[in-house]
């Protein structure tokens, strides 16, 4: 085997230090070349970034404030935008160097390349230090200085509960309609949204018009004027009134208007509320959509709401064969809940029925319902007890007596589940920006109920009813964002006789030892097998905003 030597590598001496090197156009080694040419010239080695301590956002050139985590790609992009001269070199790598959070310093390592001579590319690694300056963004500045708003949206609904605003808050969060709001204030019948620009207020009004039936009215107030430049400064106010019709309300449509709405029966219940609300005749399964424009031409109010619902026990159910989607028409026999008390005999263990109760409570009612597909004998249902009700309505008084049922069932109830007192495996978020805001007397409370001391118990009850509506209605649950509760096990929510009492909007959760939850019958009651559990795939991971720690 013959050995063939490789081509000889010709080397020359470096023109400065004299060490052998591979020939290049500069005839200099790498060390001498770096001493001769500095490719980082023109790039500052120190810079600064602006950080708002209130909203915890960084200033991204030119005037955008962005929420970025420490050592994230977003923060690295903000740091690189602050540097001048990077467009003259080629950036190959950039990463953060760890620093103490309280030092208020950010260190970034950069690797750049540049062609210094003909066909000679030099690579260099260097470090840049950023000083984090604490400042205030324009939004927080306007929030700190009171009464600096330019536009106001007043949202009102004249009903006895806050469920509509609780649902509306979740819709605003889901679609990000609160990003331009500088302040939110609760008033007696609704909420006030403050904005720094008129266009932001108009955008909020358009959003509300797409999710709830409303009517609006605008006004403006002249603050100042300049005759020399022919300019004026105004404040704009938009009054938004939401239709006082809520889900599960009993509604009596005026007879003339009912004939124009596909000749539907005047006595209906509201099954869905959106940009328009849907009214359903439970005796025929006939429904009609009433848009906001049609409603406000001749507005009408509901006869009864959630607070007037009565619990009934289903004795028998007989479907009549008429179906419409998931609704099944059926004839039901019901009685008031607790009408028949069971007493166990001490001798033979037989159960006797005690019919010696108050007059009228043992009466069995026959009614037609749209819940034939989900109700079974023995179930509990919530409905309106029209026999013992007195409504101050001229439209209801004009109805024929034979067209007014004794009972109008609205939805299925789950009384045993409610007695368990289990914590929910999910929670909601609030658009409340910070604690200590004007009108806020509770730590970290949500927007609704922040005034404190005024019907606070009623607000908590409305919030609990809203959570129950989300659990029992998958369609309603699909319109909002639910987040995982980190302190609750998804598979086993019990905690050994201890229950977790959720604060407003599930944001503050305190563990309270209330002891074992008492049961009415004194025995362990079975849970409803068809209770609508919230599935794990319906929940979202909550975004934890990581912020730089404040300097000591």
């Amino acid at each position: 085997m013959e050995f063939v030597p490789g081509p000889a590598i010709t080397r020359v001496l470096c023109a400065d230090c004299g060490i052998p090197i591979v020939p290049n156009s500069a005839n200099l080694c790498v060390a001498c070349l770096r001493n001769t040419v500095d490719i980082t010239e023109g790039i500052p080695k120190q810079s600064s970034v602006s950080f708002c301590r209130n909203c915890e956002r960084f200033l991204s050139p030119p005037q955008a404030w962005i929420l970025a985590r420490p050592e994230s790609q977003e923060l690295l992009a903000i740091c690189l935008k602050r540097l001048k001269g990077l467009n003259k070199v080629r950036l190959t790598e950039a990463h953060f160097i760890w620093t103490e959070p309280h030092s208020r310093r950010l260190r970034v390592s950069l690797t750049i390349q540049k062609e210094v001579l003909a066909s000679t590319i030099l690579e260099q690694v260097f470090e840049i230090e950023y000083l984090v300056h604490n400042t205030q963004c324009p939004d927080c500045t306007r929030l700190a200085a009171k009464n600096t708003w330019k536009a106001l949206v007043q949202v009102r609904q004249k009903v006895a509960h806050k469920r509509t605003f609780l649902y509306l808050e979740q819709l605003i969060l889901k679609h990000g309609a609160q990003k331009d709001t500088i302040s939110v204030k609760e008033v007696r019948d609704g909420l006030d949204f403050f904005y720094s620009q008129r266009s932001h207020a108009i955008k909020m009004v358009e959003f509300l018009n797409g999710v709830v039936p409303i009517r609006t009215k605008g006004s403006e107030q002249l603050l100042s004027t300049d005759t020399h430049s022919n300019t004026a400064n105004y404040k704009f106010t938009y009054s938004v009134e939401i239709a006082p019709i809520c889900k599960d309300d009993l509604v009596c449509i005026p007879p003339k208007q009912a004939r124009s709405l596909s000749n539907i029966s005047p006595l209906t219940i509201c099954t869905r509320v959106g940009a328009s609300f849907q009214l359903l005749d439970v005796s025929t399964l006939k429904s009609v959509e009433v848009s906001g424009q049609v409603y406000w031409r001749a507005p009408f109010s509901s006869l009864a709401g959630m607070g007037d619902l009565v619990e009934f026990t289903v004795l028998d159910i007989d479907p009549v064969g008429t179906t419409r989607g998931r609704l099944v028409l059926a004839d039901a026999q019901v009685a008031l809940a607790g009408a028949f008390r069971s007493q166990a005999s001490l001798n033979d263990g037989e159960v006797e029925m005690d019919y010696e109760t108050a007059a009228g409570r043992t009466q069995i009612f026959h009614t037609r319902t749209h819940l034939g597909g989900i109700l079974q004998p023995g179930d509990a249902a919530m409905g309106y007890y029209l026999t013992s009700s007195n409504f101050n309505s001229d439209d209801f008084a004009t109805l024929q007596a034979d067209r007014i049922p004794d009972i109008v069932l609205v939805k299925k109830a789950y009384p045993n589940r409610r007695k368990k007192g289990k914590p929910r495996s999910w929670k909601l978020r609030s658009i409340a920006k910070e604690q200590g805001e004007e009108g806020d007397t509770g730590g970290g409370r949500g927007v609704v109920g922040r005034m404190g001391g005024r019907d606070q118990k009623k607000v908590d009850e409305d919030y609990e009813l809203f959570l129950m509506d989300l659990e029992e209605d998958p369609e309603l649950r699909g319109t909002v964002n639910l987040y995982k509760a980190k302190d609750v096990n998804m598979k086993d929510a019990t905690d050994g006789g201890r229950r977790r009492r959720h604060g407003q909007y599930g944001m503050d959760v305190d563990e309270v030892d209330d002891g074992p939850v008492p049961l009415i019958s004194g025995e362990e009651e079975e849970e409803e097998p068809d209770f609508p559990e919230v599935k794990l795939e319906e929940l979202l991971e909550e975004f934890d905003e990581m912020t730089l720690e404040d300097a000591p």
Side-chain angles (χ1 to χ4, degrees):
M1 182 176 179
E2 183 180 359
F3 175 74
V4 179
I9 300 177
T10 304
R11 293 181 180 271
V12 298
L13 298 180
C14 177
D16 285 350
C17 60
I19 64 173
I21 61 172
V22 177
N24 54 51
S25 59
N27 288 330
L28 295 175
C29 64
V30 176
C32 295
L33 189 60
R34 287 178 178 175
N35 294 333
T36 305
V37 181
D38 184 13
I39 63 175
T40 64
E41 185 179 2
I43 302 177
K45 304 305 184 292
Q46 290 185 346
S47 185
S48 62
V49 292
S50 299
F51 176 71
C52 181
R53 302 178 64 180
N54 294 329
C55 61
E56 299 173 348
R57 295 184 297 175
F58 289 89
L59 176 60
S60 177
Q63 292 297 331
W65 290 84
I66 300 177
L67 181 64
R69 296 185 178 185
E71 300 188 5
S72 64
Q73 296 294 332
E74 294 81 5
L75 183 56
L76 183 60
I78 293 174
C79 293
L80 295 180
K81 287 182 180 180
R82 304 289 298 182
L83 293 180
K84 297 180 180 180
L86 279 182
N87 56 344
K88 299 179 181 179
V89 298
R90 179 185 178 187
L91 180 64
T92 59
E93 184 183 359
H95 63 271
F96 282 101
I97 301 176
W98 186 85
T99 56
E100 291 287 346
H102 59 77
S103 65
R104 315 304 297 179
R105 299 291 190 277
L106 298 175
R107 297 170 57 195
V108 179
S109 175
L110 301 180
T111 302
I112 61 175
Q113 293 179 352
K114 185 178 180 181
E115 185 177 358
V116 293
L117 297 173
S119 302
T120 302
I121 298 177
L122 183 62
E123 183 179 84
Q124 189 169 348
V125 180
F126 66 104
E127 178 183 327
I128 299 178
E129 183 179 72
Y130 293 86
L131 177 63
V132 180
H133 287 295
N134 290 327
T135 183
Q136 273 190 334
C137 64
D139 295 338
C140 295
T141 302
R142 285 189 291 267
L143 185 62
K146 304 299 180 181
N147 300 324
T148 58
W149 53 272
K150 292 297 181 64
L152 168 64
V153 178
Q154 298 175 334
V155 185
R156 302 289 186 268
Q157 186 187 37
K158 294 179 173 57
V159 293
H161 58 81
K162 296 289 186 180
R163 290 167 50 236
T164 301
F165 292 100
L166 293 170
Y167 176 62
L168 186 60
E169 181 185 20
Q170 299 305 315
L171 288 179
I172 292 174
L173 279 172
K174 181 179 180 64
H175 298 279
Q178 83 289 356
K179 62 180 181 179
D180 298 324
T181 306
I182 61 175
S183 179
V184 182
K185 184 179 180 181
E186 184 192 12
V187 293
R188 178 170 296 275
D189 293 325
L191 297 173
D192 287 346
F193 297 86
F194 297 88
Y195 297 91
S196 59
Q197 298 181 19
R198 181 187 181 185
S199 60
H200 296 164
I202 296 176
K203 185 178 179 181
M204 172 59 77
V205 174
E206 293 175 351
F207 170 78
L208 295 176
N209 190 35
V211 295
V212 287
I214 63 172
R215 64 177 175 181
T216 62
K217 182 180 180 181
S219 63
E220 58 186 27
Q221 178 186 2
L222 178 63
L223 299 181
S224 61
T225 182
D226 187 355
T227 57
H228 299 284
S229 60
N230 196 23
T231 58
N233 185 18
Y234 289 92
K235 276 190 175 181
F236 302 92
T237 301
Y238 296 91
S239 177
V240 178
E241 183 179 358
I242 304 177
I245 306 295
C246 301
K247 186 175 179 293
D248 298 334
D249 282 0
L250 180 66
V251 179
C252 183
I253 310 175
K256 182 179 179 181
Q257 194 169 356
R259 288 191 293 270
S260 65
L261 297 174
S262 304
N263 199 23
I264 193 173
S265 175
L267 195 62
T268 59
I269 61 173
C270 181
T271 57
R272 184 181 60 83
V273 177
S276 60
F277 51 88
Q278 186 179 53
L279 301 178
L280 174 68
D281 181 9
V282 297
S283 60
T284 62
L285 296 185
K286 190 175 183 179
S287 63
V288 64
E289 290 277 348
V290 181
S291 62
Q293 293 81 0
V294 174
Y295 172 81
W296 290 113
R297 293 173 190 168
F300 52 88
S301 59
S302 59
L303 294 178
M306 287 287 294
D308 302 316
L309 289 175
V310 180
E311 184 178 346
F312 296 92
T313 301
V314 180
L315 304 180
D316 191 16
I317 193 78
D318 183 19
V320 298
T322 304
T323 61
R324 187 175 180 270
R326 295 183 301 173
L327 303 180
V328 179
L329 195 63
D331 292 329
Q333 297 182 11
V334 299
L336 291 172
F340 308 106
R341 297 196 304 263
S342 61
Q343 294 181 349
S345 175
L346 298 178
N347 298 329
D348 51 7
E350 296 180 354
V351 177
E352 299 179 357
M353 304 304 294
D354 182 13
Y355 294 91
E356 298 179 358
T357 58
R361 289 193 59 85
T362 58
Q363 182 179 356
I364 298 177
F365 300 94
H366 298 263
T367 186
R368 181 156 289 186
T369 179
H370 62 292
L371 304 176
I374 60 176
L375 288 181
Q376 299 292 333
D379 289 345
M382 304 298 294
Y384 295 106
Y385 191 13
L386 302 185
T387 302
S388 60
S389 300
N390 185 16
F391 301 112
N392 185 17
S393 172
D394 296 336
D395 298 328
F396 183 78
T398 58
L399 296 180
Q400 300 178 5
D402 56 348
R403 300 188 62 181
I404 302 176
D406 296 329
I407 302 295
V408 177
L409 298 181
V410 176
K411 62 180 182 178
K412 184 177 179 180
Y414 305 90
N416 294 342
R417 176 73 180 197
R418 298 305 172 201
K419 296 171 187 175
K420 294 296 181 181
K422 293 182 179 180
R424 291 181 172 89
S425 57
W426 52 273
K427 61 181 179 179
L428 303 175
R429 302 187 70 182
S430 171
I431 60 178
K433 288 191 174 182
E434 61 180 13
Q435 302 180 12
E437 201 169 326
E438 182 179 357
D440 188 0
T441 57
R445 301 191 66 83
V447 171
V448 180
R450 301 177 66 187
M451 297 185 67
R454 179 178 59 80
D455 297 335
Q456 196 61 43
K457 182 178 179 181
K458 181 65 170 60
V459 172
D460 294 338
E461 293 176 354
D462 292 340
Y463 181 66
E464 180 63 25
L465 290 176
F466 174 62
L467 296 181
M468 293 167 59
D469 289 341
L470 290 178
E471 286 180 329
E472 299 172 3
D473 192 346
E475 293 184 0
L476 182 66
R477 196 163 61 238
T479 60
V480 302
N481 287 339
L482 306 181
Y483 296 89
K484 295 180 182 178
K486 297 181 179 180
D487 52 351
V488 178
N489 192 346
M490 293 294 299
K491 296 182 179 179
D492 185 12
T494 58
D495 50 1
R498 299 173 66 87
R499 65 181 181 182
R500 307 186 67 81
R501 182 173 298 164
H502 286 252
Q504 189 77 355
Y505 302 98
M507 300 301 291
D508 299 324
V509 184
D510 299 326
E511 188 169 332
V512 182
D513 189 2
D514 293 336
V517 180
L519 298 176
I520 294 180
S521 62
E523 299 179 358
E524 185 69 20
E525 299 188 9
E526 296 182 358
E527 297 184 9
E528 288 83 354
D530 56 346
F531 184 81
E533 295 282 356
V534 179
K535 299 180 180 179
L536 180 61
E537 55 267 20
E538 299 181 44
L539 305 182
L540 302 177
E541 291 287 350
E542 185 178 8
F543 176 71
D544 295 330
E545 298 180 357
M546 301 176 60
T547 60
L548 295 175
E549 298 181 5
D550 296 333

